[in-house]
Amino acid sequence: DIQMTQSPSSLSASVGDRVTITCRASQGISNYLAWYQQKPGKVPNLLIYAASTLQSGVPSRFSGSGSGTYFTLTISSLQPEDVATYYCQKYISAPWTFGQGTKVEIK
Amino acid sequence: QVHLVQSGAEVKKPGASVKVSCKASGYIFSGVYMHWVRQAPGQGLEWMGWINPNSGDTNYAQKFQGRVTMTRDTSISTAYMELSRLGSDDTAVYYCARQGMWGGGDIWGQGTMVTVSS
């Protein structure tokens, strides 16, 4: 099975900072990559699919890029409401595989 | 509006089984695969499998083969996930998630907490 590895596992940044999370696939997955945001005690919320397509209603400060085995999620200006854990997911075929998550906190 | 509404929290003893339901509304239930994902306390997301509501075909993660059964009742637009021989490490929130046209999970249920404790 294809493995997904996120880094860092956690980060602390100031409001307004640019934040980047990376996700690597153990094999090429083209652009079959999604990003989810999960706030404490809440359901995962889709942010981006097809590596770079913003889900409707998601703020434009979120963006995704990448293809093949290397992907990034960027928050251009971190806001207090962005405190959450972020997961990448490959969906090119079963099984869905998630990264281990990146916890984002405010410094 | 599309919704997935799951059944309520469960407490089970080790060795027992649990069956979680996921009722869909706002779209054609039989037209879209339904996935199940779980999350143990403080842990990440773990995919369990999918069911094709139209055919009833299933695809289970190897880890759960022989222990999980996914079914559906199209007459009431509801998917089910049953997990047997529960152990303490099955304590988790279980989510159903609709597969969007692009392939991943676009709509998720609210989650069902399953606690396994003697």
Side-chain angles (χ1 to χ4, degrees):
Chain A
D1 290 347
I2 297 173
Q3 305 303 312
M4 307 301 292
T5 304
Q6 282 181 241
S7 62
S9 56
S10 65
L11 66 90
S12 181
S14 299
V15 172
D17 281 356
R18 183 181 183 88
V19 168
T20 298
I21 298 167
T22 65
C23 178
R24 293 180 187 268
S26 60
Q27 299 175 38
I29 58 170
S30 184
N31 70 335
Y32 292 88
L33 191 283
W35 290 96
Y36 298 87
Q37 175 194 63
Q38 187 178 33
K39 296 183 178 181
K42 301 297 185 182
V43 180
N45 180 50
L46 175 67
L47 297 176
I48 287 168
Y49 62 94
S52 60
T53 302
L54 202 64
Q55 173 72 342
S56 176
V58 173
S60 59
R61 63 180 179 274
F62 291 93
S63 64
S65 67
S67 183
T69 62
Y70 184 78
F71 304 88
T72 62
L73 171 70
T74 298
I75 308 172
S76 61
S77 177
L78 187 67
Q79 299 302 304
E81 59 266 32
D82 300 335
V83 169
T85 299
Y86 294 83
Y87 295 93
C88 64
Q89 176 211 27
K90 76 88 174 166
Y91 56 89
I92 187 171
S93 61
W96 284 357
T97 305
F98 297 89
Q100 77 277 21
T102 296
K103 188 173 184 178
V104 174
E105 298 175 322
I106 299 291
K107 194 182 293 183
Chain B
Q1 199 167 9
V2 177
H3 286 295
L4 299 176
V5 178
Q6 298 183 222
S7 49
E10 303 262 13
V11 179
K12 296 292 183 182
K13 294 198 180 302
S17 298
V18 68
K19 191 170 186 177
V20 179
S21 67
C22 171
K23 182 171 177 58
S25 61
Y27 73 98
I28 300 173
F29 173 70
S30 59
V32 184
Y33 283 27
M34 189 73 77
H35 295 248
W36 290 88
V37 175
R38 77 176 187 179
Q39 186 171 37
Q43 302 301 308
L45 300 167
E46 181 176 34
W47 181 79
M48 300 181 70
W50 57 249
I51 182 167
N52 177 343
N54 186 46
S55 65
D57 289 345
T58 56
N59 185 356
Y60 303 142
Q62 192 166 11
K63 174 177 180 176
F64 301 103
Q65 291 272 3
R67 233 174 29 104
V68 70
T69 305
M70 296 178 188
T71 57
R72 89 294 188 212
D73 184 339
T74 55
S75 69
I76 55 171
S77 299
T78 299
Y80 302 91
M81 187 285 300
E82 183 171 20
L83 190 62
S84 62
R85 303 193 303 277
L86 293 168
S88 58
D89 55 351
D90 292 315
T91 293
V93 177
Y94 289 76
Y95 296 102
C96 56
R98 186 185 81 158
Q99 179 171 312
M101 292 182 63
W102 50 274
D106 63 347
I107 303 293
W108 293 58
Q110 84 277 18
T112 297
M113 181 71 212
V114 175
T115 303
V116 182
S117 174
S118 55

